[in-house]
Amino acid sequence: MQPTSTDNRDKVWSILCHASLVFFPLLLPLLVYLVKDKSPFVEHHAKEAFMFHVGVLVALFTSKVLMLVLIGFLLFPLVALSAFILTVWAVIQTWNGLWYSYPVTGRWAQKI
């Protein structure tokens, strides 16, 4: 079990990184990672959110291409709903101060 974070500023920055999938995917986690004087907690969540956003955008683009063969019409809403659910779960876990890792990103984010 990883230690929890109790600093509310760290939690807010981390939550913004995860929730940015709705408005500024890739941009906010990358900016937070590169610019913010960050704690290890914020750095972890910025990397996790960035890698998840990359995966979601690739999956959505692939779904759009697959709409040419009709399977994309089923795949696109499935990817979007899954991304929404995983993002909400990440925000909840981060609010509780946990070092959340998305189940679909593997350990790529820790290797950066």
Side-chain angles (χ1 to χ4, degrees):
M1 183 79 174
Q2 294 176 339
T4 60
S5 175
T6 55
D7 185 9
N8 282 336
R9 285 177 288 162
D10 287 351
K11 287 181 186 179
V12 168
W13 280 110
S14 299
I15 287 170
L16 286 174
C17 286
H18 291 294
S20 69
L21 180 64
V22 177
F23 298 111
F24 305 109
L26 298 179
L27 182 63
L28 189 61
L30 184 61
L31 286 175
V32 167
Y33 181 73
L34 294 176
V35 175
K36 174 137 175 37
D37 182 26
K38 56 196 168 294
S39 71
F41 185 77
V42 175
E43 180 180 345
H44 167 81
H45 285 282
K47 288 193 289 188
E48 283 288 332
F50 181 79
M51 292 303 292
F52 181 67
H53 294 181
V54 167
V56 168
L57 292 176
V58 167
L60 289 174
F61 177 76
T62 304
S63 300
K64 282 241 190 220
V65 170
L66 289 174
M67 285 182 182
L68 294 172
V69 291
L70 301 179
I71 191 71
F73 289 106
L74 177 65
L75 193 57
F76 190 86
L78 184 65
V79 169
L81 180 63
S82 299
F84 177 75
I85 291 169
L86 287 172
T87 299
V88 168
W89 185 247
V91 167
I92 291 169
Q93 295 299 311
T94 304
W95 179 254
N96 289 329
L98 300 175
W99 292 58
Y100 181 74
S101 293
Y102 288 97
V104 293
T105 57
R107 295 292 160 238
W108 303 321
Q110 278 81 28
K111 296 194 189 308
I112 318 178

